[in-house]
Amino acid sequence: MGKLDLYTDKHLNQLRHLEDGLADKAVCSLLLEKELLSGINSWQEIPDSLPDIFPPAVKNYFEFFLKDHPHKEAPFIREAQFFFEKYSSMILSLLGFYSLPYTYAFGDGAEVLVRSRKIVENPGERLAETALFVLECYRPGAFESDKRVLMVLAKVRLIHAMSRHFIKKHAVDWDQSWGRPINQEDLLSTNLTFSLLISRGIQKSNHSISSKEREMLLAYWGLVGYYLGIDTKFWPASNKEAFELEKIIRKRHLKKSIAGKVLLHSLLNFYRKNLFRPELSPFLENILQYYLGEEISRILELNASQKLPEFFLKNLNKFSPFSQSAGNSTFHSIYKEFLTNTQKALGVEVGINLPMPRK
């Protein structure tokens, strides 16, 4: 049965109360010595020799990233990076049309997201940061010769831990029935949006994707998940396992919520006012409904009043939220164009950095 025996309410209920001890301990130490945060933000790579001033919990955290990962020189690493170059524009489009709004339909997890002012007030920056994170994960040489991805993943994992810390400390309205904020089940679900959902989205966009390519993406995001602190014992190794894991999480948590509506409304307003070509605006909810499907669209109360023209369905990969062209063939040209377009659209340079708490 492989991992299918793990995908039960009993096991997933346990995961809702598990967080990430390594990162959480590091954040507790960092928040006592906030001046260390700006230094970490200045790093492009994790130094082989960590500063002596680092507290033990912070040293332990970064030393984890300096160890060899369990898939060293595995062929799926380069295969996934080549795959991204082939489908980059479509993948970046699917993040905005499918992966991100999908998360809003899961009521308990949406409660974490809605408590981030940036997501509600600056959804464009949030979407751009997510896209930048994906780009960094697919950087050629990542997890092998290029170590910059480890710095990005270390920051993202700490950002998760900081969010947990501040929600538990300041969110007096947090309902314990939602589980711990950014718990292990929610991390698994989010990782599926970058792997399983991208595979589904490519197929929905009338492009073929093989079973082998689907499992390659699962393996790649399993490696990403390893560095993000996910208990990889639960990460699916096969298409069947991924299907069953998403199915049970959907059954457990798909529900209407005020948080989900707030998040979707914010995202749609951003799309309408800022980045999309005018001809897309009347069909925006149709596009989301097409990818998300009937069940999730009903939960999010999408109002698709017009039929999606066939032209849009065939060319959605050309309508990236950040006007990414479909003609780029190298990662570096894709990356450069993305940074240029996001800065033009948002008026700020997009980056992945640890938030600096107020003194």
Side-chain angles (χ1 to χ4, degrees), residues 288-321:
L288 267 62
Q289 186 178 62
Y290 174 76
Y291 281 108
L292 293 169
E294 182 179 346
E295 185 181 27
I296 291 182
S297 296
R298 185 171 62 251
I299 292 293
L300 293 176
E301 298 182 0
L302 284 167
N303 296 311
S305 57
Q306 303 183 58
K307 184 178 179 181
L308 186 64
E310 189 175 348
F311 168 79
F312 290 111
L313 182 57
K314 289 182 176 180
N315 294 277
L316 280 169
N317 63 305
K318 298 179 182 178
F319 298 121
S320 168

Side-chain angles (χ1 to χ4, degrees), residues 117-129:
R117 291 182 62 185
K118 175 177 284 189
I119 297 176
V120 176
E121 297 176 7
N122 298 295
E125 286 187 40
R126 165 63 176 170
L127 178 57
E129 288 169 359

Side-chain angles (χ1 to χ4, degrees), residues 91-101 127 130-131 134 194 198:
I91 290 172
L92 293 176
S93 293
L94 289 169
L95 291 177
F97 291 132
Y98 193 5
S99 298
L100 190 58
L127 178 57
T130 301
V134 170
F194 297 116
I198 292 298

Side-chain angles (χ1 to χ4, degrees), residues 99-332:
S99 298
L100 190 58
Y102 168 94
T103 64
Y104 299 165
F106 294 78
D108 295 346
E111 296 294 344
V112 174
L113 298 174
V114 81
R115 282 163 174 76
S116 167
R117 291 182 62 185
K118 175 177 284 189
I119 297 176
V120 176
E121 297 176 7
N122 298 295
E125 286 187 40
R126 165 63 176 170
L127 178 57
E129 288 169 359
T130 301
L132 180 60
F133 161 71
V134 170
L135 280 163
E136 292 288 357
C137 285
Y138 282 115
R139 181 185 289 276
F143 304 111
E144 295 182 323
S145 59
D146 195 320
K147 305 298 183 183
R148 283 174 285 183
V149 67
L150 301 182
M151 188 67 247
V152 171
L153 293 171
K155 286 182 181 178
V156 170
R157 188 170 173 182
L158 286 175
I159 290 169
H160 289 165
M162 293 178 80
S163 297
R164 277 192 295 270
H165 175 88
F166 288 111
I167 286 174
K168 288 190 284 188
K169 186 175 181 179
H170 299 293
V172 295
D173 59 343
W174 185 260
D175 189 330
Q176 295 302 316
S177 69
W178 299 333
R180 301 288 179 89
I182 315 182
N183 58 69
Q184 284 289 321
E185 185 183 21
D186 287 344
L187 288 170
L188 283 170
S189 180
T190 300
N191 228 37
L192 286 172
T193 68
F194 297 116
S195 50
L196 175 65
L197 259 66
I198 292 298
S199 296
R200 288 179 178 174
I202 290 173
Q203 188 170 20
K204 281 175 174 282
S205 301
N206 292 333
H207 288 259
S208 62
I209 178 169
S210 69
S211 176
K212 182 180 178 182
E213 287 173 324
R214 291 171 181 269
E215 293 194 345
M216 171 197 65
L217 288 179
L218 287 174
Y220 197 79
W221 283 92
L223 176 56
V224 173
Y226 165 79
Y227 282 112
L228 290 178
I230 293 175
D231 185 346
T232 53
K233 177 177 70 175
F234 289 88
W235 183 250
S238 69
N239 295 321
K240 171 67 173 175
E241 290 170 354
F243 175 86
E244 292 298 336
L245 178 58
E246 191 271 346
K247 180 180 175 182
I248 189 172
I249 291 176
R250 180 192 290 240
K251 182 179 178 181
R252 284 165 54 82
H253 297 295
L254 199 64
K255 64 180 180 182
K256 293 183 180 181
S257 68
I258 295 175
K261 292 179 183 178
V262 169
L263 291 163
L264 182 67
H265 180 73
S266 176
L267 184 66
L268 290 173
N269 279 347
F270 167 73
Y271 285 163
R272 290 186 177 116
K273 294 178 181 178
N274 294 281
L275 298 178
F276 282 89
R277 302 174 187 182
E279 66 269 26
L280 265 183
S281 186
F283 304 102
L284 185 54
E285 292 192 45
N286 301 70
I287 295 170
L288 267 62
Q289 186 178 62
Y290 174 76
Y291 281 108
L292 293 169
E294 182 179 346
E295 185 181 27
I296 291 182
S297 296
R298 185 171 62 251
I299 292 293
L300 293 176
E301 298 182 0
L302 284 167
N303 296 311
S305 57
Q306 303 183 58
K307 184 178 179 181
L308 186 64
E310 189 175 348
F311 168 79
F312 290 111
L313 182 57
K314 289 182 176 180
N315 294 277
L316 280 169
N317 63 305
K318 298 179 182 178
F319 298 121
S320 168
F322 294 101
S323 301
Q324 203 77 6
S325 69
N328 282 327
S329 58
T330 68
F331 175 87
H332 297 292

